[in-house]
Amino acid sequence: QLQLVESGGGLVQPGGSLRLSCAASGFSLDYYAIGWFRQAPGKEREGVSWISSSGANTNYARSVKGRFTISRDNAKNTVYLQMNSLKAEDTAVYHCAADSSYWLLVTDPTREFDYWGQGTQVTVSS
């Protein structure tokens, strides 16, 4: 079965950290750009961070820049999102997406991408 599976979410206090993982099953991520997206209740899907297939290019939403770091390990077929200094407003379901187009991942968060994970809940609360 071809799928992306996210893990690593949970409940954390403000100021805390989490590392999300996005693992591919049944296919190789080597040739795909990856994006992390989040959606909070009542809000639109928001792009958070993106990484090109080689890892040479990364981008971050203004709201997370300086706090989140995206990385990939193609040998493990996995992409990571290290989230530090978490805030209550980071609370959302986080999804990863894979697409052959880095540009489309960055510019069109509502698009139907090649692969989309089921999501992992991140809750930041004291």
Side-chain angles (χ1 to χ4, degrees), residues 36 38 46-50 58-68 84-85 87 89-90 106:
W36 282 98
R38 66 187 181 187
E46 173 189 16
V48 175
S49 183
W50 306 265
T58 59
N59 284 90
Y60 299 91
R62 196 171 298 178
S63 58
V64 306
K65 199 166 189 177
R67 300 188 298 122
F68 290 11
N84 298 330
S85 302
K87 305 175 181 180
E89 50 263 45
D90 295 318
V106 174

Side-chain angles (χ1 to χ4, degrees), residues 18 20 34-40 44-51 58-71 79-84 86 89-97 102 104-110 113 116 120 122:
L18 285 173
L20 305 184
I34 304 296
W36 282 98
F37 299 84
R38 66 187 181 187
Q39 189 160 20
E44 294 185 348
R45 183 190 299 175
E46 173 189 16
V48 175
S49 183
W50 306 265
I51 187 166
T58 59
N59 284 90
Y60 299 91
R62 196 171 298 178
S63 58
V64 306
K65 199 166 189 177
R67 300 188 298 122
F68 290 11
T69 303
I70 192 170
S71 62
V79 174
Y80 304 98
L81 185 68
Q82 178 67 43
M83 307 188 297
N84 298 330
L86 283 162
E89 50 263 45
D90 295 318
T91 295
V93 177
Y94 283 70
H95 300 265
C96 61
Y102 180 72
L104 287 175
L105 277 169
V106 174
T107 60
D108 189 359
T110 63
F113 300 113
W116 180 259
T120 185
V122 171

Side-chain angles (χ1 to χ4, degrees), residues 3-4 22-25 27-34 52-54 72-74 76-79 96-99 115:
Q3 59 181 352
L4 291 174
C22 171
S25 176
F27 70 102
S28 172
L29 288 179
D30 286 7
Y31 304 106
Y32 288 92
I34 304 296
S52 61
S53 57
S54 68
R72 66 191 299 156
D73 185 341
N74 283 355
K76 294 184 178 179
N77 220 22
T78 301
V79 174
C96 61
D99 201 275
Y115 297 97

